[in-house]
Amino acid sequence: MRKLASIVLFLVITLNSFGQKKNSPLPISHLTGDFYVYKTFHDYNGTLISANAMYLVTDKGVVLFDAPWDETQFQPLLDSIKAKHNKEVIMLFATHSHDDRAGGFDFYRKKGIKTYSIKLTDDILKKENKPRAEFIIPNDKFSTVGQHTFEVYYPGKGHAPDNIVVWFNKEKVLYGACFIKSADAQDLGYLGDSDVKEWKKSIGRVKAKFKNPKYIIPGHEDWTNTESLNHTLKLVDEYLAQKSSVKK
């Protein structure tokens, strides 16, 4: 009898765990203060990859930094934010033109949410005949929404020719998206649009401009380790060294 009870308990726990994973494709984690990191998942070449994005809760409404990679989560994200904070999403900033960042422009714009990108991103989306942002912002711009002020900054080419980062000086939050690799990343990942030589210079500009971040959010995988920017530089240096040795 005891053995049967143990088996039943095991099955209940297993099924419950499975149900939570299956029905929770949009995990949202509190970062600090009014900042939240959310993950979505996408099948990339047969492997399920997570993508990190962030949102900020302000007195005026919620600001999204990058859209979900999984388009089936476009509306659930809005619903989750409304249920959690009783606020509407009012703005979306995309950090570059790839689908895991700017893929939600059309959907959110139709919802009446203001969408933003820099001109480099807009030029790429226009060339690729993809939905574009409603508003174009300068490469280095301060914005104030409600009680929060942040800086959108283009450091130069890196993961993509148009990648930007977002800096919140008061809270020392650096949202790097795909410009920054996770601290546990083994390589630089997708390099189809990358300029690795320039990436090294661009990292230097970010490190010089935004001192002592307390939180650094990379574009994929684990975001809890603040060594991610230094680790990205290490990966870039290793890649360049390998390329250099091959040429010799």
Side-chain angles (χ1 to χ4, degrees), residues 48-221:
L48 196 63
I49 306 289
S50 69
N52 304 321
M54 190 174 76
Y55 68 80
L56 173 66
V57 180
T58 80
D59 295 340
K60 301 296 183 181
V62 174
V63 182
L64 291 183
F65 297 94
D66 290 326
W69 196 3
D70 178 0
E71 65 182 25
T72 68
Q73 297 304 311
F74 287 169
Q75 183 61 47
L77 176 61
L78 300 183
D79 296 340
S80 296
I81 289 172
K82 178 67 174 179
K84 190 176 183 69
H85 308 286
N86 196 30
K87 289 181 180 291
E88 305 292 340
V89 173
I90 59 171
M91 296 178 175
L92 165 64
F93 290 81
T95 53
H96 63 276
S97 67
H98 290 166
D99 288 345
D100 59 338
R101 305 295 145 188
F105 272 160
D106 185 55
F107 180 90
Y108 290 116
R109 187 171 178 176
K110 286 177 178 176
K111 290 284 184 179
I113 296 167
K114 295 179 178 179
T115 53
Y116 299 84
S117 78
I118 62 171
K119 188 177 186 302
L120 283 170
T121 298
D122 187 65
D123 289 343
I124 293 169
L125 293 173
K126 182 179 180 181
K127 183 179 179 181
E128 295 178 350
N129 197 30
K130 291 182 177 180
R132 298 151 63 191
E134 183 179 4
F135 300 101
I136 306 302
I137 56 175
N139 286 358
D140 193 356
K141 176 179 174 55
F142 285 89
S143 294
T144 298
V145 184
Q147 73 276 35
H148 288 282
T149 296
F150 54 91
E151 182 177 1
V152 171
Y153 175 64
Y154 173 66
K157 297 177 181 179
H159 164 76
D162 58 324
N163 46 211
I164 60 174
V165 300
V166 188
W167 173 249
F168 303 83
N169 188 59
K170 181 181 177 183
E171 297 85 0
K172 303 297 181 187
V173 172
L174 177 62
Y175 179 69
C178 299
F179 179 80
I180 300 177
K181 302 297 295 183
S182 172
D184 56 9
Q186 300 299 308
D187 54 47
L188 292 173
Y190 175 70
L191 295 176
D193 298 317
S194 303
D195 187 326
V196 184
K197 284 185 178 179
E198 289 300 316
W199 201 343
K200 180 178 175 68
K201 299 174 186 176
S202 300
I203 290 172
R205 294 186 190 103
V206 169
K207 288 170 70 71
K209 188 173 179 65
F210 305 126
K211 304 286 190 180
N212 304 315
K214 292 181 180 178
Y215 308 92
I216 302 177
I217 310 301
H220 298 277
E221 306 306 331

